[in-house]
Amino acid sequence: MRESTLQVALAALGISVIGLLIELKKRDNKKSKKVDNDPPIPKRQASIRRYEALILERGSVGSKDYRVHVLQKDTSQRARELSLWHDVPLVAPAAPASAPSSPRNAPPLFNFVCEIPKCTRKKFEVATEEVKCPIKQDEKKGVLREFKKGDIFFNYGCFPRTWEDPHHVSPDTGYPGDNDPLDVCEIGLRQVQTGEIRPVKVLGVLAMIDDDETDWKVVAIDAEDRWAPELNDIDDVERLIPGTVSLIREWFRTYKIPDGKPPNKFALDERCMGAKYAHKVIHETHTFWCDLVQKQLGDDFGFQLPKLETLRGVANDSKMVRKISNPDLTKLG
């Protein structure tokens, strides 16, 4: 009897809430007299120091039409959609000189686009072949993909304005690029949501070989993470958070085994190279992206590319990554 009464009460409460929401919606419709073709107000907001981004979700989670878009307000406070691959700058706004995690002459921070939050397993990725490159759930043979291995234990995503050129064979790995933006493993404590853009400090990079393609995995830390002031290179990670790099390597080595595929391999004697080497990889892949957009090679790969001159901040991105890059990778081992 008590259980039945509780169910009735909950049902009544649900109906009341729905009624209230409908009434509020009617009031909002009366207030908005002019037609606005801009996207609706997003559900979440992500702040990157001076770089503001709004996250908009379209479609139903778990469906093939689900997309995560990122918007930015212009000077008139109207939202315009950003391409997560092309519009978002590679280099993040500089941290204040007084910030403990940003000592004088420190390398720049980079904008990390989160695709897959830590402790989740849906295989989200930037849709490089779609206009504005929103985030979608990857699919294979018509089935939405999840990691059968289980949840990923770090935030996973990519760096905008980078591209692993499939026509370039890396002399260090012996394999061409995988035709995607540069992958990033963010090892901070907080869970970053799909579509969030966070400034990160680059610590190192792994050279994974996946299906005979070079698939670099940059290791980075959120600039505002508790560990950020103490981590400046991959050796610091090994010293202060031992086992982290090995776990990342083994996760990527084995994650396709449940799909019936062999383990992935790693070049460079499986070493996780340091920050200087990673900065060179960032410089290289950014240069490939610049060539891709400047020469308008999208038709060769199924990409819909913007004009380079319409993108803001590219010159600054190129200047900063060139400044920190060492032209001879063999000296960085």
Side-chain angles (χ1 to χ4, degrees), residues 40-56 68-74 77-84 87-89 93 111-114 193-199:
I41 298 174
K43 298 179 181 179
R44 308 191 300 257
Q45 178 168 333
S47 173
I48 314 169
R49 302 181 193 280
R50 294 188 302 275
Y51 190 87
E52 298 292 335
L54 304 170
I55 297 175
L56 171 68
V68 176
H69 303 262
V70 173
L71 317 175
Q72 187 179 54
K73 291 181 180 178
D74 59 20
Q77 296 301 301
R78 296 170 69 87
R80 70 181 185 93
E81 185 172 355
L82 299 177
S83 165
L84 282 169
D87 287 326
V88 178
N111 282 322
F112 163 65
V113 176
C114 185
Q193 297 303 305
T194 299
E196 272 195 79
I197 307 168
R198 300 289 303 171

Side-chain angles (χ1 to χ4, degrees), residues 242-253:
T244 300
V245 174
S246 295
L247 287 171
I248 293 174
R249 185 190 298 110
E250 293 312 306
W251 201 94
F252 282 114
R253 188 197 308 279

Side-chain angles (χ1 to χ4, degrees), residues 208-279:
M208 190 176 89
I209 308 302
D210 186 359
D211 289 333
D212 293 332
E213 295 176 332
T214 300
D215 191 2
W216 297 105
K217 304 297 183 185
V218 174
V219 179
I221 183 82
D222 191 308
E224 297 177 352
D225 191 84
R226 169 258 179 271
W227 284 106
E230 302 175 61
L231 301 179
N232 296 297
D233 212 324
I234 206 65
D235 290 342
D236 297 326
V237 180
E238 298 282 25
R239 178 172 54 88
L240 297 173
I241 320 177
T244 300
V245 174
S246 295
L247 287 171
I248 293 174
R249 185 190 298 110
E250 293 312 306
W251 201 94
F252 282 114
R253 188 197 308 279
T254 61
Y255 83 100
K256 287 188 175 181
I257 291 178
D259 295 312
K261 293 188 176 183
N264 285 319
K265 300 177 292 185
F266 291 85
L268 302 171
D269 297 324
E270 301 200 348
R271 287 180 296 166
C272 187
M273 309 302 285
K276 288 183 178 180
Y277 189 104
H279 288 144

